[in-house]
């Protein structure tokens, strides 16, 4: 189980299978132990005072957390990785490590709603000024730079509406003024997109979604390059974020099957979309892996795969009653927040207060679907019945 002795860097599937394992360190057991710990004992006072052993205290890391961190570090090509107890906690920590009083922060207008909530309600109190930008800007983001611009928070594709962003162009512009670039990389996961290689400084993943993959734990990961790591590491230590070992273990277990699950999510998703696009009640479909999607070229250039999450509009004139009737009629799609588990989910897309520089038509009814690991034919039939119920035969 140790890594083959080769100069060549390993392919992603091999990394997923072997990363973070150390069987010889744990009596030959394949997986690292789930270490429940606060106190770590020292053999003598000298070791204690000189910090002369790997582990010092449960909050500062255990063989369980180090193992997942090492695996994510390898996948993201990062200098360092910290775990957080949710995706949102990872976003908050990453942002706090990049900006302080007097700084200006740019955030994509399409960022995840709770990211905006954190930026709008917490950061101003710390003296940070927050400005939203059109995700289509690319290198034109320069026009929004101020002397005090210290960080740019991107999310590609964006939450609910799936706009792609030109991360390399944004990173190049940011480098000219020494600003840090953060990417919420949850949709593609570090398997299909490595933001640090695209020029970003921090890559954040809501591990709750595809990493854990079974809707049974909350987790976040923050990967940083050499430039961003020292501040992130210091803040993480100072603030005391700690993830319970059983949840770290669920992340580690999910990691091993990430590739096979994502491949199937994407395949099922394409099959459902292929049927959906021809239905008379359906308007625009937002999924960057589709050739017709405006973000397709960027997706093709920067990503190596797609996932099971997309949204669509009903045709113009569809009422909220019809949207609700459709959602209520679904039986295989659960009505619930989050995504990335094995099961299919649906939510109405509501952008109230969530787009301040790129407003969308409020009268347009939309739905976000997560396509799970069910047989896609059953999913299509479920959607067909729900459309009939909502729109009539
Ligand atoms: C769910 C989600 C998060 C937050 O993750 P939690 O673990 O639910 O806190 C962040 N970003 C995106 C894009 C998400 O979908």
């Amino acid at each position: 189980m140790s890594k083959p002795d080769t100069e060549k860097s390993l392919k992603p599937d091999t990394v997923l299978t072997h990363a973070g394992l150390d069987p010889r360190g744990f009596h030959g057991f394949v997986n690292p132990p789930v270490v429940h710990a606060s106190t770590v004992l020292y053999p003598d006072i000298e070791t204690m005072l000189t910090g002369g052993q790997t582990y010092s205290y449960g909050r500062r890391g255990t063989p369980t957390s180090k193992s997942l961190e090492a695996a994510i570090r390898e996948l993201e090509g990062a200098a360092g990785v910290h775990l957080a107890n949710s995706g949102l906690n990872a976003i908050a920590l990453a942002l706090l490590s990049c900006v302080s009083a007097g700084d200006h922060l740019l955030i994509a207008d399409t960022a995840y709603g709770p990211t905006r909530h954190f930026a709008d309600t917490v950061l101003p109190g710390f003296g940070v000024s927050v400005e939203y930008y059109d995700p289509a800007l690319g290198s034109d983001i320069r026009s929004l730079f101020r002397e005090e611009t210290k960080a740019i928070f991107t999310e590609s594709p964006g939450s609910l509406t799936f706009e792609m962003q030109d991360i390399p162009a944004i990173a190049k512009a940011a480098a000219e003024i020494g600003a840090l670039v953060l990417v919420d990389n949850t949709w593609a996961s570090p398997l299909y997109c490595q933001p640090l290689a695209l020029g970003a400084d921090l890559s954040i993943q809501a591990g709750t979604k595809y990493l854990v993959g079974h809707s049974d734990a909350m987790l976040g990961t923050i990967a940083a390059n050499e430039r961003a790591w020292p501040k992130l590491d210091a803040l993480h230590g100072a603030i005391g974020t700690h993830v319970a070992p059983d949840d770290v273990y669920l992340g580690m277990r999910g990691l091993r099957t990430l590739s096979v699950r994502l491949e199937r999510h994407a395949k099922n998703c394409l099959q459902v979309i292929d049927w959906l696009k021809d239905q008379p009640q359906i308007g625009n479909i937002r999924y960057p892996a589709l050739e017709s999607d405006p973000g397709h070229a960027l997706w093709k250039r920067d990503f190596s795969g797609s996932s099971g999450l997309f949204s669509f509009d009903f045709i113009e004139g569809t009422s909220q009653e019809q949207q609700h009737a459709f959602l209520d009629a679904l039986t295989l799609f659960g009505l619930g927040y989050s995504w990335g588990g094995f099961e299919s989910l649906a939510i109405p897309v509501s952008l109230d207060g969530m787009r301040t520089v790129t407003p969308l038509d409020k009268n347009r009814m939309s739905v976000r679907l997560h396509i799970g690991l069910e047989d896609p034919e059953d999913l299509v039939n479920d959607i067909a019945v729900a459309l009939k119920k909502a729109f009539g035969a």
Side-chain angles (χ1 to χ4, degrees), residues 10 59 188:
L10 297 169
R59 183 185 354 101

Side-chain angles (χ1 to χ4, degrees), residues 302-315:
D302 297 340
F303 288 49
S304 56
S306 65
S307 66
L309 193 74
F310 74 102
S311 69
F312 66 85
D313 296 335
F314 289 112
I315 48 168

Side-chain angles (χ1 to χ4, degrees), residues 137-160:
L137 276 186
S139 58
D140 289 342
I141 198 160
R142 282 191 189 93
S143 63
L144 299 176
F145 286 172
R146 303 180 194 165
E147 209 172 302
E148 57 282 8
T149 304
K150 289 290 157 55
I152 304 169
F153 187 95
T154 70
E155 182 184 324
S156 184
S159 272
L160 300 175

